[in-house]
Amino acid sequence: MLGFYVILLPVFLGFPTAIRITLLLSLSWAFAYFLTNVAVGLKIVAPVPHAVALIYIPHGIQLLAAWAYGWRSVLYLLPIVTLVTCGHDDIWEHALTEIAVIWIFDLISAPLGIHAIRHIIANEQRFARLRLNWRVLVLGGLLATILNSGVMQMVHQPAYTLPGVLGGFLWLVVSDMAGLMVVLLSLMFLFRWARLLFHAQLRSS
């Protein structure tokens, strides 16, 4: 995947900044969604009637985008999220208002969660862009998935019993947070590798 981005780097540099960010986030989100579909295909799913992958990595991508770009992340992720939402096999079984609610909350839950947590945690907003704050990402991700998963279950509620709705809600939260943990751990190893590489170059120079 890294080689794919390296090949496309000259193309990215030729576009305006907003388009480059949109393409980069869309590719990352699409790749994460592909991994989620692979997990579903391998039956790595939660024991609920609706197929829910045990690890939903796009949630982590959306949280990182919201942390870095705030509410602008909605516009950057709008094309890929809209494309995937409209491409679901069962999405058109719902009313247009239900589809709109699912689509809107899928887009705004991450920046809303990050925005709320930044205002709850004292002094975080002042230094928000200086370093990656794991606490804000985790708490913001939890709030975001509670909002988004709650809305999804309310839309599906007529089809399931109350225990099924609650079970589906809990598994969606677990799946989203597991995906966020995968992204954060990947970033941690990436930063550590970059730091070791930097120190190695300093010693060799």
Side-chain angles (χ1 to χ4, degrees):
M1 187 64 181
L2 180 60
F4 178 67
Y5 284 127
V6 171
I7 293 172
L8 288 181
L9 184 60
V11 179
F12 285 140
L13 295 178
F15 288 132
T17 301
I19 297 178
R20 292 203 304 267
I21 295 172
T22 300
L23 288 173
L24 183 62
L25 289 178
S26 295
L27 286 170
S28 301
W29 196 96
F31 181 67
Y33 188 77
F34 167 76
L35 294 178
T36 300
N37 279 339
V38 169
V40 172
L42 295 175
K43 305 301 182 183
I44 307 175
V45 295
V48 291
H50 219 60
V52 176
L54 289 180
I55 301 176
Y56 188 71
I57 303 176
H59 182 67
I61 302 296
Q62 287 180 248
L63 261 295
L64 281 180
W67 174 85
Y69 301 109
W71 287 102
R72 285 178 297 166
S73 64
V74 173
L75 296 177
Y76 295 146
L77 289 168
L78 179 64
I80 186 64
V81 171
T82 302
L83 180 64
V84 172
T85 299
C86 295
H88 277 234
D89 293 335
D90 60 346
I91 191 66
W92 300 110
E93 297 175 3
H94 300 283
L96 287 178
T97 53
E98 295 176 342
I99 296 173
V101 167
I102 294 173
W103 174 68
I104 290 171
F105 271 86
D106 198 11
L107 282 168
I108 71 169
S109 60
L112 182 60
I114 294 291
H115 181 79
I117 295 300
R118 276 181 171 158
H119 280 77
I120 291 173
I121 297 178
N123 298 323
E124 201 286 325
Q125 192 172 17
R126 181 181 175 186
F127 305 103
R129 296 295 185 268
L130 299 182
R131 61 187 175 85
L132 192 64
N133 193 316
W134 308 100
R135 181 174 55 173
V136 170
L137 281 169
V138 172
L139 293 177
L142 180 60
L143 178 58
T145 186
I146 288 174
L147 292 172
N148 196 29
S149 301
V151 168
M152 289 184 65
Q153 288 308 297
M154 282 191 292
V155 169
H156 290 298
Q157 188 171 3
Y160 304 129
T161 61
L162 181 59
V165 170
L166 293 177
F169 169 77
L170 292 176
W171 276 112
L172 285 172
V173 171
V174 169
S175 173
D176 283 350
M177 293 307 293
L180 176 59
M181 292 300 107
V182 168
V183 171
L184 292 182
L185 287 174
S186 299
L187 280 177
M188 183 182 69
F189 285 116
L190 179 62
F191 290 157
R192 183 168 298 179
W193 174 79
R195 187 167 59 248
L196 291 174
L197 183 61
F198 176 73
H199 290 314
Q201 288 178 342
L202 286 180
R203 286 194 297 267
S204 63
S205 59

